Every structure is written in C-alpha cells, then in structure tokens.
DNA sequence: TCTGGGGTCCTAGGACCC
DNA sequence: TCTGGGGTCCTAGGACCC
C-alpha cells in the first residue's frame, strides 16, 4: 500500500502557525513578485478566490472581506516543510518527498496493521509537532492514494484519513472522482475525455486498455492501470535533480544589458549553489530572457542560448561566465525585458570527475574557494560572500511587499530577502 | 501599471550513422 | 510498377505535476 500525506493549504497554514489570530479568517499567499494567488485558506476559498488569479484583479474582493495577504516566503515554507517531512519520515520505512507539501510513504509489511488508525496517528502527530494540518490517503497505488487524499480533505467524516483497500471502496470512490481530478489527467486530457462521455475516474477505467493507449499514450495507460489497482508508478528513489532552474520575473522592466547581466549572474550563482548542495555537476547551461507576453501592444522578443560546457562544473565563477557570454549573444537593445533565467542540465555526480584533456583550469583550487564561500555563507548568512558579477544594485529584485518574517531561520535570511 | 517558479516524462521528426 | 533496414542522437513541443 501507498500513503500520500499532503499539507492543507500549506503556505497559508505556515503563515498562520506564527499568526494564530488569523485562524478561521481568510488568508491568501501570492506568488513571487506579488503576482498571482498561489495558496488560500479554507475561508479564502469559500469567498470564491480562485487559484492562480492575478492579485490586481482581486483588490476589491480582498479589501471588502478583510483578506490577509502575504508575499511568498520560501525560506519559511522550506523550513516548515522540512519539519513536516522529518516528522512523517518516522512513520514508515520509506518516504518519497513529492513536493514541498506532499510525501508518499511505502507501507510495505503493514498487512496486519489497522491503516485507518495508523493514518490518524500520523496526522495527529504531524499537526501537533509542526502546527500544520495534514491529510492522508492510503491505497494500493499512488494514483489511488492521491484520490483517497482528496476525499480525506473533502469530507470531514473521514477525519483527514481515507483508506481505499477493497474493490468496493475503489469503485465507490472512482464514481465520485471527477475525471479532471485524477492525478495525471490535466486540462487537455480532461476536455478530450469528456468529449467521449468519460466524466469520472470510474468511466475511464471502463474503457479498454488499447483505447486508452491509443488516445493517451503510455502515460495514460499507466494512469488507467493504477486506477484499476495495478501499481506502475514506483517510489522515486533518485537523490539528485536532472535539471535545475533559477528564473525570476524582474521587479521592474529592464532594458539595459547591465542590470540584466547582474540578474543572470545571480541566477547562475544560485544554480551553482543548488548543484553543490546535491553534490553534482552540470554539463549544459541554458540562459533565456523574454519580454512580457501579456503586453501585446509592445514589441516582443524572446530568446535562449544553450551552452555545452567544456567540463562539467558547479563552480559559480565558471557558470556565471558562460551565462553572461550566452546573455550577450542573445541580448537585443530596444526591448523591455520582464523575465530571465538559467537552467543547468546533463547533471552528473561530483565524483568521479570526468576531466577534459585540454582543460587548463585548476579545479581543485576553485573547489576549495567554493567550499570556503559556502561555509562562510552558511555561518554568517546568505550572500555574505558572493561573486562580484552578482553586483549590489538589485534593480531586478522582486516585489514582495507583504513578506512575513522568517520566524524559524536566521535573521540574515530575512535581511537578504528585504534588500 | 499589474498575470509565478520549478520540475518530470513522452513523442515526433530530422539529421546522421552503417 | 519497382528505390533497404536498423539504429542513435538531438530538438522542439506538448502534456502533466506541485
């Protein structure tokens, strides 16, 4: 059996842990740059505030109903997530962290255990230890566990835990599960399936395997099998990412090469840090910039540059260098740039290092510099030491006017974000 | 004025190899 | 009439997830 544990309204719940006066009141959290709504408390949902709605469209509704609004505070959410995951990991031999607020547990050897009682204990303990309310779905496949989790959240009678462990329960659940709410079926497929009168998870399972394969490929076939109780999506045991991206909308539109360079240098440095953290190297770097696609009355430009690195690396100076070269090759004057980013891929473990015969760089030496820099920043706060190209102007920095304090981490982190 | 950021996997088609 | 067969790699795009 698999369990899926999911934090309820995660970001909104994190904010409330440190603002208990907001319990029972509508709270929303905005995306970076205070752009869209990305989390809503139950009360905010009840007001009809939709997910992913641009904040400026909601101004009236927010004022009228005294909704408390927060900028997203990923330092806080990341730390709270870590607390939740640590608590959950005590309850099963194997855990897969699926997202910042979700984890799968593999319940091998639980044949004799009362799963409902077990689930309730996990939920109770996690909420007590962290202050974050969670829900749990338990079923023979991940896709069914996802469905069970939905029901655990939706119907208070389940007391936050729903178990699908018989065919009768499976049938009953799938008949109530909207096709668009099935894990793995997004908007495109939902529309297509509805056209064929498939409106629930159950309808979908009644089609033939070959029809599903033909209409939706192997991915759809896996979903079909999973809904019928045959597990095909295994626990993901990989420890390192296959690609790493740092990208941002700029706080204000940028037109000149210089501030954009500064931003790109910071994105590259961030990718390098993430690589070092997971002890790996990247062989490919991609940089991109584009104007605001929503501003249809303005000239549009979007471009990217892929750079094959001579030797796989996680060195900030090297990645910044290549990223800035790439930027120069695609930057064009006369546009108002809105967003840029750096993506590294073709990621390999740090050791053993595959060298290049013609490599002239003293990698050992640069490695030591990076280690010292990481250590200093770990002790004294983020970005205390950085590469000069990252600059100090920060014209590109995001807007986040409603940021909460980083209650659980160092003050430096707060300062870093407020600069 | 104003619309996020970070991932994964699969497929089709083209270029190229023998 | 009639023009092989088998493979790899790369890229772009599309679908999905949170």
């Amino acid at each position: 059996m698999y369990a899926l544990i999911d934090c309820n309204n995660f970001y909104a719940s994190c904010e409330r842990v440190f603002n208990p006066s907001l319990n029972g009141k509508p709270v929303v959290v905005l995306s970076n740059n205070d752009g869209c709504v990305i989390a809503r408390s139950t009360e905010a949902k009840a007001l009809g505030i939709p997910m992913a709605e641009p904040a400026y469209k909601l101004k009236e509704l927010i004022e009228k109903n005294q909704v408390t609004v927060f900028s997203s505070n990923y330092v806080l959410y990341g730390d709270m997530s870590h607390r939740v995951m640590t608590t959950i990991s005590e309850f099963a031999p194997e855990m897969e962290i699926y997202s910042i607020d979700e984890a799968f547990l593999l319940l091998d050897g639980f044949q004799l255990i009362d799963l409902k009682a077990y689930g309730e204990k996990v939920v109770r303990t996690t909420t007590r230890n962290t202050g974050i309310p969670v829900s749990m779905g338990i079923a023979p496949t991940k896709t069914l566990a996802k469905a069970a989790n939905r029901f655990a959240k939706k119907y208070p009678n389940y007391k936050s835990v729903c178990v699908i462990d018989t065919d009768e329960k499976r049938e009953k659940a799938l008949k109530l599960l909207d096709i668009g709410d099935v894990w793995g079926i997004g908007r495109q497929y939902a529309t297509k399936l509805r056209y064929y009168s498939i409106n629930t998870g159950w309808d979908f399972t009644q089609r033939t395997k070959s029809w599903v394969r033909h209409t939706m490929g192997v991915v759809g076939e896996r979903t079909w099998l999973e809904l019928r109780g045959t597990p095909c999506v295994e626990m993901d045991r990989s420890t390192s990412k296959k690609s790493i991206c740092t990208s941002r909308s700029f706080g204000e539109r940028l037109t000149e090469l210089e501030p954009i360079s500064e931003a790109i240098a910071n994105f590259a440095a961030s990718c390098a840090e993430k690589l070092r953290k997971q002890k790996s190297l990247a062989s490919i770097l991609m940089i991109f910039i584009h104007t605001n696609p929503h501003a249809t009355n303005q000239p549009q430009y979007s471009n990217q540059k892929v750079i094959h690195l001579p030797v796989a690396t996680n060195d900030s100076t090297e990645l910044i260098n290549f990223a800035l070269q790439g930027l120069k090759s695609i930057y064009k004057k006369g546009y108002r740039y809105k967003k840029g980013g750096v993506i590294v891929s073709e990621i390999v473990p740090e050791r053993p290092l595959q060298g290049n015969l013609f490599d002239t760089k003293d990698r050992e030496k640069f490695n030591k510099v990076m280690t010292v820099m990481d250590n200093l920043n770990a002790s004294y706060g983020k970005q205390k030491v950085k590469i000069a190209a990252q600059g100090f102007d920060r014209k590109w920095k995001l807007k986040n006017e409603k940021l909460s304090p980083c209650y659980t981490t160092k003050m430096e982190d707060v300062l870093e974000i407020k600069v």
Side-chain angles (χ1 to χ4, degrees):
Chain A
M1 299 290 274
Y2 293 87
L4 176 73
I5 303 167
D6 186 324
C7 301
N8 304 346
N9 317 324
F10 183 54
Y11 298 164
S13 299
C14 288
E15 297 291 351
R16 271 181 176 175
V17 170
F18 301 94
N19 271 299
S21 65
L22 295 175
N23 287 336
K25 293 186 182 152
V27 172
V28 299
V29 179
L30 304 180
S31 61
N32 267 333
N33 242 5
D34 292 345
C36 303
V37 171
I38 53 167
R40 305 158 295 160
S41 71
T42 310
E43 300 75 17
K45 287 177 189 169
L47 286 173
I49 297 177
M51 190 68 169
E53 184 80 346
Y56 70 90
K57 287 189 181 169
L58 291 168
K59 241 183 146 181
E60 239 174 76
L61 190 67
I62 284 171
E63 273 167 25
K64 198 176 128 205
N65 296 286
Q66 302 185 343
V67 180
T68 307
V69 179
F70 290 96
S71 301
S72 35
N73 182 345
Y74 290 104
V75 176
L76 176 65
Y77 311 151
D79 188 62
M80 292 305 287
S81 170
H82 184 245
R83 294 179 184 198
V84 169
M85 299 305 171
T86 308
T87 306
I88 293 171
S89 66
E90 303 286 319
F91 286 94
E94 198 174 330
M95 172 174 76
E96 172 193 336
I97 297 176
Y98 178 66
S99 75
I100 193 162
D101 73 330
E102 275 175 68
F104 284 106
L105 298 179
L106 183 62
L107 306 184
D108 261 0
F110 278 56
Q111 287 81 354
L112 300 176
I113 294 188
D114 177 348
L115 292 172
K116 176 83 175 156
Y118 160 81
E120 280 171 10
K121 187 174 175 197
V122 176
V123 166
R124 211 167 42 235
T125 311
T126 308
T127 306
R128 187 195 65 207
N129 288 9
T130 65
I132 303 286
V134 300
S135 307
M136 193 162 174
I138 302 177
T141 70
K142 281 182 162 183
T143 309
L144 287 170
K146 270 275 190 185
N149 188 280
R150 276 195 98 79
F151 290 111
K153 274 209 172 86
K154 194 167 172 184
Y155 303 107
N157 276 349
Y158 283 118
K159 290 192 195 141
S160 302
V161 180
C162 172
V163 182
I164 298 177
D165 54 358
T166 65
D167 257 347
E168 296 77 64
K169 287 186 195 169
R170 186 175 67 85
E171 179 171 342
K172 191 181 152 201
L174 289 184
K175 283 180 172 168
L176 286 169
L177 184 65
D178 187 87
I179 189 66
D181 292 335
V182 173
W183 189 47
I185 295 185
R187 221 190 317 204
Q188 306 293 325
Y189 282 136
T191 307
K192 192 168 180 177
L193 291 172
R194 285 204 183 93
Y195 170 81
Y196 291 106
S197 305
I198 297 168
N199 296 306
T200 65
W202 181 253
D203 297 341
F204 184 62
T205 59
Q206 297 315 105
R207 290 291 170 135
T208 63
K209 190 163 148 184
S210 58
W211 183 86
V212 172
R213 173 68 192 242
H214 180 250
T215 318
M216 301 172 67
V218 295
V219 181
E221 188 181 338
R222 282 204 279 264
T223 299
W224 183 85
L225 282 163
E226 285 245 322
L227 285 181
R228 291 169 63 104
T230 307
C232 336
V233 184
E234 306 242 316
M235 295 293 275
D236 182 357
R237 294 170 173 101
S238 63
T239 51
S240 79
K241 296 245 167 27
K242 293 169 184 169
S243 72
I244 289 173
C245 171
T246 303
S247 73
R248 292 285 181 279
S249 295
F250 308 128
E252 53 187 271
R253 300 289 175 271
L254 300 178
T255 54
E256 300 306 310
L257 180 60
E258 232 172 79
I260 300 175
S261 298
E262 197 178 298
I264 294 295
N266 277 282
F267 302 157
S270 154
C271 286
E273 254 172 63
K274 293 177 190 173
L275 282 168
R276 294 197 294 273
K277 203 166 178 190
Q278 67 166 37
K279 297 200 186 308
S280 50
L281 311 167
S283 317
I284 290 182
L285 178 148
M286 199 256 275
I287 99 120
F288 68 88
I289 46 172
H290 62 74
T291 50
N292 181 4
H294 299 291
T296 42
N297 56 343
Q298 285 176 14
Q300 295 288 322
Y301 175 67
S302 142
N303 206 347
Q304 69 227 39
K305 175 82 181 173
V306 177
I307 295 167
H308 291 250
L309 304 168
V311 179
T313 183
N314 60 16
D315 183 294
S316 297
T317 59
E318 202 176 5
L319 288 172
I320 288 176
N321 239 315
F322 283 110
L324 293 182
Q325 275 177 35
L327 173 64
K328 261 186 208 148
S329 75
I330 57 171
Y331 167 80
K332 274 195 198 161
K333 235 179 154 53
Y335 293 98
R336 300 178 72 226
Y337 293 95
K338 173 178 166 54
K339 183 174 176 177
V342 172
I343 303 172
V344 290
S345 54
E346 288 286 284
I347 290 173
V348 295
E350 228 166 18
R351 304 201 181 273
L353 175 63
Q354 176 68 55
N356 176 325
L357 193 56
F358 305 107
D359 190 17
T360 52
K361 194 167 165 140
D362 184 348
R363 292 186 182 273
E364 277 304 308
K365 195 167 124 188
F366 275 87
N367 268 341
K368 281 181 194 158
V369 176
M370 288 299 120
T371 308
V372 170
M373 190 171 89
D374 289 340
N375 288 342
L376 284 171
N377 288 335
S379 321
Y380 297 104
K382 278 187 180 180
Q383 303 231 358
K384 275 286 178 288
V385 182
K386 58 182 170 181
I387 311 300
Q390 291 178 249
F392 298 93
D393 279 357
R394 317 208 119 207
K395 270 197 185 137
W396 52 277
K397 251 321 210 193
L398 339 145
K399 203 169 75 181
N400 48 7
E401 290 166 348
K402 316 255 162 89
L403 191 67
S404 53
C406 297
Y407 299 99
T408 60
T409 49
K410 287 199 266 318
M411 273 317 280
E412 285 86 347
D413 298 340
V414 185
L415 293 175
E416 139 64 16
I417 281 181
K418 280 196 174 159
V419 164

